[in-house]
Amino acid sequence: MNPDFPFDPSHSDKQGAYWVGPRHLAGDDGRLYDAVADTLTGLGWTSLTIVRGRREPDETRQDRQVLRSTVLHLSPDTLRWAQWVLADEPFHLGELPIAWHVSARADTTSPLAQWSAYFTPELPGEAIVDFLCALDARDQPAVQFAGPEPVLDIVTAHGWLRDIDRPDTGAMDPTFTSHISLGEVPPLIQDADPRAMTVGADEAGPAGWQAWAEPVPGSPCLWAASFGSSVPHDLVAAFAGSLSFTEPVLRRVLPESTRDRLLRAPAG
């Protein structure tokens, strides 16, 4: 691929698609909902549109006052679900709004999620898809079977570098732009670990995986992902392996902040 190949996102629809890399800087192509929703439909998950608001008799569509709207995708066994919340006044991860909120529970006797994971716009859809496919394939979506080692093992196998200060809990891509780290979980991240409810103000709570891309140090992140402390490490490894995978991805629209960092070649 040629990084100097002329690319103008304003004419991308006319020029067609491009193969670009690295994946972790390629953005979501403006298709983050469709890419994930189409996969879940193919897996047999049911989608439900939830609209909350006020509707008067005989009012026009333009006058309808919809306060919130989400799309919920539910697995056949109802133990796992993914919710598109971007139109639902989502809370923010860093300075970015949450787009997908994924959860799982241990059994159907409790309505409460055992863990949750959160993904913002511009996160490559391939990584969320692979995370959800791994979740779908799991017989017990809320049980932790292994330690955290596979997460860093898979990204370093793809050329990422372990954090020199925290080699057992953090890694970054060779350009020091994208990061994954096991550490303190941001506020409002839902998790059923009882330690998260009892930790003191000056104490560190249970650790969870966090990932983000910061194209320019000190500037807003391109994307972010957060995993509650109870998210099984093998599922995070599926996400991290996909995110750091070295094969190029197909894109028509590139993020402005990373366009000059991407290798690209016309598809077809």
Side-chain angles (χ1 to χ4, degrees), residues 2-238:
N2 180 7
D4 298 321
F5 192 93
F7 183 91
D8 183 351
S10 65
H11 298 295
S12 56
D13 287 339
K14 297 178 182 178
Q15 295 181 356
Y18 291 78
W19 291 107
V20 303
R23 177 180 296 191
H24 57 90
L25 298 181
D28 62 16
D29 205 27
R31 298 187 64 255
L32 190 58
Y33 174 77
D34 291 335
V36 175
D38 289 349
T39 296
L40 295 177
T41 299
L43 292 173
W45 291 35
T46 301
S47 65
L48 304 169
T49 301
I50 304 170
V51 178
R52 295 184 287 273
R54 296 190 299 273
R55 183 178 182 182
E56 300 296 333
D58 302 324
E59 74 175 344
T60 65
R61 184 181 183 86
Q62 292 78 9
D63 294 333
R64 187 177 306 168
Q65 300 182 53
V66 175
L67 301 183
R68 288 187 262 181
S69 177
T70 66
V71 182
L72 177 68
H73 298 261
L74 188 64
S75 67
D77 62 7
T78 72
L79 294 181
R80 55 213 101 192
W81 57 95
Q83 194 167 10
W84 175 257
V85 295
L86 196 59
D88 193 26
E89 300 177 4
F91 72 85
H92 284 61
L93 191 57
E95 299 178 355
L96 302 173
I98 301 298
W100 281 103
H101 174 192
V102 180
S103 300
R105 57 181 175 171
D107 55 66
T108 58
T109 62
S110 172
L112 300 178
Q114 189 73 19
W115 57 257
S116 289
Y118 305 82
F119 307 96
T120 73
E122 292 295 6
L123 209 161
E126 294 87 353
I128 304 177
V129 163
D130 287 342
F131 174 82
L132 286 164
C133 286
L135 172 61
D136 182 78
R138 241 176 173 262
D139 291 333
Q140 297 175 287
V143 178
Q144 189 74 266
F145 292 127
E149 296 83 6
V151 178
L152 297 184
D153 287 345
I154 189 65
V155 297
T156 53
H158 290 162
W160 286 34
L161 309 173
R162 287 181 183 262
D163 190 314
I164 191 170
D165 296 319
R166 300 181 299 108
D168 295 329
T169 57
M172 64 199 73
D173 80 285
T175 67
F176 308 103
T177 301
S178 297
H179 308 256
I180 189 162
S181 176
L182 179 63
E184 184 177 358
V185 177
L188 303 179
I189 300 303
Q190 299 175 10
D191 196 90
D193 189 328
R195 294 175 297 166
M197 309 297 290
T198 60
V199 64
D202 299 326
E203 299 176 307
W209 288 99
Q210 316 302 315
W212 67 96
E214 188 179 18
V216 179
S219 297
C221 290
L222 172 65
W223 55 259
S226 183
F227 302 87
S229 59
S230 297
V231 178
H233 297 299
D234 60 289
L235 297 182
V236 183

